[in-house]
Amino acid sequence: MQRITSATAAELFDIAATRRIEHAAAAALPAHTLMRRAGLAVARLAMAIAPHARTIWVACGPGNNGGDGFEAAAQLRHRGFFPVVTFLGDESRLPPDAKASLQRARDAGVTFASTPPSAYELAIDALLGIGSTRPPEGTMTEWLAKMHASGQPVLCVDVPSGLNADTGTLPHGIDHAQASARTCITFLSLKPGLFTAQGRDAAGTVWFDDLGCSAFKDQPLARIAGAPDAQPRTHASHKGSYGDVAVIGGASGMAGAALLAGSAALHGGAGRVFVGLLDPSAAPVDTAQPELMLRDARTLDLSGMTAVCGCGGGEAVQELLPRVLSTAAALVLDADALNAIATDGALQAQLTSRGKSGSPTVITPHPLEAARLLGCTVGDVQADRLTAARQLAARFGVVVVLKGSGTVIAGAAETLPVINLTGNASLATAGTGDVLAGMIGAALAMRQPAFEAAREAVWQHGHIADTWPADAAPLTAGTLARRTPA
């Protein structure tokens, strides 16, 4: 059993691949082996979460997920705990393994009840697994609402009930992000939906148990890449060794966005950082950060630079985009640059041409910007974040950073997308996206490949938030930018 953290490197498998792994393992093992192993794993984790619990509510559904719950209840009863099982289903229609585990629970003396116990110290959600094709409804919805609002910890079996294991979406009206601390133990494969969209809130802390079936392989859909390797600087180096970043943005009233991106690029390790402001009345120097070289954006020669374009660019950035797209040695497109491209077919064609030429290019849309680029709705993007990111990467031939809970990094078709596991809600404040763009720009300036530059910057960006001291002042974009690791 392994706890999944932001440092974990692992492959992610969709429902179809997981089913193939399951069928191959079941065919090679004695009957009932997988369910007995799963139930034991659930019981062990339950005991670790609530070692002093007396009553444990085990809510079991009509399929094999419920069977895992029956098996866990039997194991817990053998170990001196008092599980109370509530079962929603028809015993006569249970799959054979689940029916056998139900009998094992009865033989162990497990208590069965028609309603949840009035008091308990842990709830186990074994209602619906990856095979569910219908959302929870009726009594099941009531039980889920009760367990997630109770304040007692919840342990989900394989996936939180109702969660789409491929996309991380929950049915309308199902909300697992409530009062209870959440843990999920998932089996045979890691599922992408646990780590993006609503999955992170629904699953909470994720544990993985391959049930002794690591020999059974399939084609992964994506991966979590883990912490990037440290890249120490050589002593015999100079500012030219780490490249130049030019930030283009900061239209009237929005200079702060460009300065944040510039600060992040500077603290992220770029050798020199120029900030090309689009506001003609902007001050000629930032006295708080004199290392940033302020320029008129129109005068910058981008042919040897990494451009970070769009941060606070407003409508003014559209005029410069043709030159930026055609001349920048490497490029990060963010915010208003993406909005301008979404409304201009010529700019879209130019971006596609740039992508086909192999010029390093990263775009960093949030879901609304991604929807504008794809000509769809935010709901469409959030309904399948992996697919949306891959569509953008394929359409424009660039590396895509689709921001949000479980940021997705997608590139060339032959490269597995990455779901990032760092970051938290403290990043939900103005300017943190500008900081990320600057960090990616610094990594590109240091001649990292575009996909790796994006992946590592996204990880570091979230890691700063994850390690921000709980007793410190709230994390702001300015502080975030100054904490970027060189």
Side-chain angles (χ1 to χ4, degrees), residues 50-143:
H52 304 298
R54 176 173 175 82
T55 301
I56 298 176
W57 173 25
V58 187
C60 295
N64 281 328
N65 197 250
D68 293 340
F70 297 142
E71 191 68 37
Q75 296 287 350
L76 288 165
R77 188 70 193 94
H78 286 313
R79 287 159 175 78
F81 291 81
F82 293 90
V84 175
V85 170
T86 56
F87 172 44
L88 282 177
D90 181 347
E91 181 177 346
S92 66
R93 300 179 65 181
L94 280 171
D97 279 357
K99 188 174 292 187
S101 286
L102 173 60
Q103 188 58 51
R104 283 170 51 79
R106 286 175 173 155
D107 293 344
V110 169
T111 298
F112 284 75
S114 59
T115 59
S118 58
Y120 57 89
E121 290 74 46
L122 172 69
I124 296 177
D125 169 13
L127 290 165
L128 297 175
I130 64 172
S132 173
T133 58
R134 297 177 60 184
E137 56 186 10
T139 301
M140 189 178 294
T141 302
E142 294 172 9
W143 287 2

Side-chain angles (χ1 to χ4, degrees), residues 301-328:
D301 179 3
L302 305 177
S303 60
M305 295 183 175
T306 294
V308 176
C309 183
C311 303
E315 295 180 0
V317 76
Q318 186 158 358
E319 174 191 346
L320 294 183
L321 274 171
R323 183 167 70 87
V324 172
L325 287 164
S326 62
T327 64

Side-chain angles (χ1 to χ4, degrees), residues 262-485:
S263 180
L266 185 68
H267 290 90
R272 296 189 298 177
V273 178
F274 299 84
V275 179
L277 294 174
L278 299 173
D279 183 356
S281 64
V285 64
D286 180 357
T287 56
Q289 299 180 101
E291 305 92 339
L292 298 177
M293 292 172 276
L294 274 56
R295 297 287 189 272
D296 182 335
R298 298 159 185 82
T299 67
L300 290 170
D301 179 3
L302 305 177
S303 60
M305 295 183 175
T306 294
V308 176
C309 183
C311 303
E315 295 180 0
V317 76
Q318 186 158 358
E319 174 191 346
L320 294 183
L321 274 171
R323 183 167 70 87
V324 172
L325 287 164
S326 62
T327 64
L331 179 58
V332 181
L333 293 166
D334 185 46
D336 290 322
L338 297 175
N339 291 330
I341 290 169
T343 62
D344 190 321
L347 290 176
Q348 292 176 33
Q350 196 173 359
L351 177 58
T352 302
S353 177
R354 179 183 173 87
K356 288 180 179 178
S357 74
S359 299
T361 307
V362 179
I363 66 173
T364 59
H366 57 52
L368 177 57
E369 291 159 352
R372 289 168 178 159
L373 288 165
L374 289 170
C376 63
T377 68
V378 172
D380 293 332
V381 170
Q382 293 294 80
D384 193 340
R385 289 169 50 78
L386 268 168
T387 294
R390 296 180 80 165
Q391 287 175 342
L392 281 170
R395 178 172 298 185
F396 296 113
V398 299
V399 172
V400 176
V401 174
L402 178 57
K403 295 181 287 193
S405 179
T407 291
V408 178
I409 301 97
E414 65 273 14
T415 302
L416 281 179
V418 165
I419 297 179
N420 181 65
L421 301 194
T422 62
N424 57 62
S426 66
L427 293 172
T429 185
T432 56
D434 303 310
V435 172
L436 177 59
M439 292 174 68
I440 298 171
L444 283 174
M446 290 184 280
R447 300 178 181 84
Q448 289 194 53
F451 189 90
E452 290 307 308
R455 181 185 70 80
E456 293 186 13
V458 169
W459 192 94
Q460 295 286 6
H461 183 261
H463 182 65
I464 295 167
D466 289 342
T467 55
W468 189 251
D471 57 353
L475 181 62
T476 65
T479 308
L480 178 68
R482 292 189 291 274
R483 285 285 297 270
T484 55

